[in-house]
Amino acid sequence: GDGQIEQLCESVTSTSYHREMDLEAAEIDRTCLSEVLPAAQDAAASSFGITQAAANPAIVKKVKKVVDTRLDAPELAVALQQLSEFYGNNTLENRRNLRSTIERRSVDVNKKFVGCFADVMAKLERVEGHVERLADCSQRMRQRLQAAQATTSQVLKITDQLQKKEVTAESQKEVVQAFLTRFRLQPNEMAVLNSGEISDEFLVVLSRVAEIQVVSKKLLRVHHKTALMDIVDEAGALQEKAYNRLYKWLQEKFARVHADSSDMPSLMKTALKTLRARSQLYKVCLEDLAVSRRQALSQRFLQALTRGGPNGHPKPIEIHAHDPQRYIADMLAWVHQALA
């Protein structure tokens, strides 16, 4: 930032200034030393043994320091070279103005230094402006990201809840599907039961309806559910309708019993056995069957009595009417054969 650049410039300026001041001070000391060293040495030599105790300690220390300075030091050579660039003749005025000259030169150097860093400062200011804009943009993006994160977290939460509900719904769907498969008829079974022909498949579906009703009634003793009650009612209605169809079909079949038919088909036997669940209808069917069989037997007996068998064989029973014993024996034989 600006503070760091200002500290850097002050540090560089201070270092340059102190270095130049040290070099100029060294040059001044060298110049003074070249002027006063012979005289000081003569004075010291002449009065060493007499006035040594009265000499100024500061002057003695300074002279000693100057004497001990190494003339071949690199710093001294650099200082002298820099001094030679602007220092003219070794006059009294130049010596008096040496410090001010060095200070002005230092100020000029600092101005040049500041001028050189002006472009850098301008660029740094532009960079700082870009950085600030980037910081603002980053802040806005951070706020948007936080808002998006909050929204996304809410969406994720809702999505997770919906997924859990979906899993629960799938489980419930499977349970309901299994329940309906167990306690409801399939469309093809409904078609067979309502409009199909009376067949073995019809009887199987009817027995399944009876089983569904029995199981539903057992479950109703433990769980009083509306669905079970509806299933019981539906199964009862289907049973009544199917038993009525079965009853009418049996009546039609019994009405067509031929005089020469000695036995019923297996489908009619199974249908009559299934109709036992409805005792009233079963009794009526038995009565109809008895009437039909009685009429058929009567017709067969009259035919055997008067006409005989097919193509006249066996002969009619009445042909032996003049012989009562054989006549009765032939009738009893026919009855025995009809009942066998």
Side-chain angles (χ1 to χ4, degrees), residues 191-331:
V192 170
L193 196 65
N194 291 326
S195 60
E197 295 292 335
I198 303 299
S199 60
D200 293 333
E201 186 178 4
F202 175 87
L203 298 177
V204 171
V205 174
L206 183 58
S207 63
R208 185 167 182 270
V209 173
E211 181 184 359
I212 290 173
Q213 190 177 29
V214 171
V215 175
S216 299
K217 288 181 178 180
K218 289 182 180 179
L219 291 176
L220 277 175
R221 298 175 185 174
V222 182
H223 303 284
H224 297 282
K225 300 296 182 180
T226 306
L228 291 174
M229 296 178 65
D230 294 340
I231 289 174
V232 170
D233 295 339
E234 183 180 4
L238 290 174
Q239 270 188 323
E240 290 299 328
K241 186 176 180 180
Y243 282 134
N244 288 329
R245 286 191 63 203
L246 186 63
Y247 167 71
K248 293 179 180 179
W249 181 80
L250 286 174
Q251 279 188 328
E252 292 178 359
K253 293 296 182 182
F254 291 158
R256 297 174 185 176
V257 173
H258 298 288
D260 56 349
S261 61
S262 59
D263 198 2
M264 289 190 303
S266 60
L267 179 60
M268 292 179 62
K269 292 181 179 179
T270 307
L272 188 60
K273 186 183 298 183
T274 303
L275 200 62
R276 287 181 181 177
R278 294 292 183 270
S279 58
Q280 296 296 330
L281 299 179
Y282 180 69
K283 290 180 179 179
V284 172
C285 284
L286 289 180
E287 291 176 0
D288 292 342
L289 178 60
V291 171
S292 298
R293 292 296 298 273
R294 182 171 59 250
Q295 292 177 355
L297 287 175
S298 298
Q299 291 177 1
R300 289 175 59 193
F301 179 74
L302 291 176
Q303 185 177 1
L305 186 65
T306 58
R307 297 181 182 179
N311 300 322
H313 183 77
K315 295 179 180 181
I317 298 176
E318 286 185 350
I319 200 172
H320 301 288
H322 61 280
D323 187 357
Q325 185 176 0
R326 186 174 179 181
Y327 183 63
I328 294 174
D330 289 341
M331 286 192 293

Side-chain angles (χ1 to χ4, degrees), residues 88-101:
N89 296 326
N90 188 14
T91 62
L92 179 60
E93 185 178 1
N94 289 336
R95 288 196 301 273
R96 288 178 178 176
N97 296 329
L98 181 59
R99 181 176 294 276
S100 62
T101 302

Side-chain angles (χ1 to χ4, degrees), residues 106-132:
S106 177
V107 171
D108 294 337
V109 171
N110 290 333
K111 288 181 179 179
K112 291 180 181 179
F113 183 79
V114 172
C116 292
F117 273 89
D119 295 337
V120 178
M121 288 297 296
K123 293 180 180 179
L124 288 176
E125 288 177 357
R126 289 197 296 272
V127 171
E128 185 178 5
H130 292 317
V131 170
E132 290 179 355

